[in-house]
Amino acid sequence: MKTYLFSLFTPNVAPPEDLDLGPVMAEIERVNDEIRAAGGWVFAGGLGDLDAATTVTVASNGSPLLTDGPYAEVREHLGGLSIVRSDDYDRVLRWAERIASATGFPVEVRPFVDEHHPGQPPTTE
């Protein structure tokens, strides 16, 4: 089975106070249940606010440099992720489409590199 990362991108603004996340979370859980039933579940989780981020880099002298906040200033940020497995790429895309539809946010789907040949792009079989 191939392994895929779903990256859910969200805007850098707080959601409206009157937003009811119940239906959104219920639909995401239905998708997660379908992924589990298909044997493709690996991991999923939402990420904390941007204020909780710390970026770690290494200075030219080799010392670690810690900076509050995300690495780049952008209009959207990674808000959550899922890792799934499947031999059926169309199924993987349907799961991502359902998550995007439920949240209204873009979901990027990317394969992991082939675990049998580290550093090489995944095969297209």
Side-chain angles (χ1 to χ4, degrees):
M1 268 196 221
K2 294 186 181 188
T3 306
Y4 298 89
L5 172 68
F6 292 173
S7 301
L8 178 69
F9 292 94
T10 59
N12 289 347
V13 296
E17 288 184 25
D18 62 346
L19 177 65
D20 181 8
L21 289 176
V24 172
M25 297 311 293
E27 177 59 18
I28 289 175
E29 193 55 34
R30 282 190 286 275
V31 176
N32 288 340
D33 287 343
E34 183 179 314
I35 295 168
R36 286 184 193 98
W41 176 263
V42 177
F43 175 82
L47 299 176
D49 292 335
L50 289 177
D51 294 342
T54 301
T55 299
V56 180
T57 56
V58 177
S60 58
N61 66 3
S63 299
L65 177 61
L66 281 66
T67 307
D68 290 339
Y71 173 71
E73 291 191 30
V74 293
R75 294 179 308 170
E76 295 177 331
H77 63 276
L78 182 62
L81 59 96
S82 296
I83 300 174
V84 302
R85 289 191 178 123
S86 180
D87 286 327
D88 184 345
Y89 188 61
D90 289 332
R91 175 185 277 178
V92 168
L93 293 177
R94 284 192 303 274
W95 291 334
E97 289 168 5
R98 288 182 56 201
I99 293 170
S101 178
T103 63
F105 299 134
V107 175
E108 178 183 300
V109 178
R110 290 182 68 184
F112 280 81
V113 293
D114 187 340
E115 290 105 18
H116 301 291
H117 303 93
Q120 298 296 314
T123 59
T124 56
E125 346 173 344

